Amino acid sequence: MTTTVTLIGKPECHLCDDARGAIERVLTQIPSAASVTLEEKSILDDTALYERYWEQIPVVLIDGEQHTFWRVDERRLASALTEDDA
């Protein structure tokens, strides 16, 4: 089963860059990373995303459900991505 992690942000957003780095570090550390797809979406390209998330970016979704916003806690993300592996 594939899990999709979506990073919602915008260009030239330092918090978005930090979030991307945190997600990428987690994906290099968890055994199930091969079954995780990372996608990025910009609030500048989608009016609905802009209206919903503009005050919260970066936002991280896991399979379409909001996991976090502003800062990514790497341990929490790793836990969320591996909880079904047990």
Side-chain angles (χ1 to χ4, degrees), residues 9-11 41-47 49-50:
K10 69 178 185 174
K41 295 183 178 183
S42 172
I43 62 169
L44 301 181
D45 297 332
D46 186 316
T47 304
L49 289 178
Y50 180 88

Side-chain angles (χ1 to χ4, degrees), residues 4-17:
T4 302
V5 175
T6 305
L7 174 60
I8 299 171
K10 69 178 185 174
E12 299 182 28
C13 165
H14 75 279
L15 289 177
C16 302
D17 293 339

Side-chain angles (χ1 to χ4, degrees), residues 4-59:
T4 302
V5 175
T6 305
L7 174 60
I8 299 171
K10 69 178 185 174
E12 299 182 28
C13 165
H14 75 279
L15 289 177
C16 302
D17 293 339
D18 292 347
R20 182 181 309 102
I23 294 166
E24 289 172 349
R25 281 189 297 279
V26 167
L27 294 180
T28 64
Q29 297 170 3
I30 61 171
S32 59
S35 65
V36 177
T37 300
L38 173 60
E39 67 178 9
E40 293 191 42
K41 295 183 178 183
S42 172
I43 62 169
L44 301 181
D45 297 332
D46 186 316
T47 304
L49 289 178
Y50 180 88
E51 291 174 1
R52 183 165 183 187
Y53 296 117
W54 71 275
E55 291 183 314
Q56 296 180 337
I57 63 166
V59 175

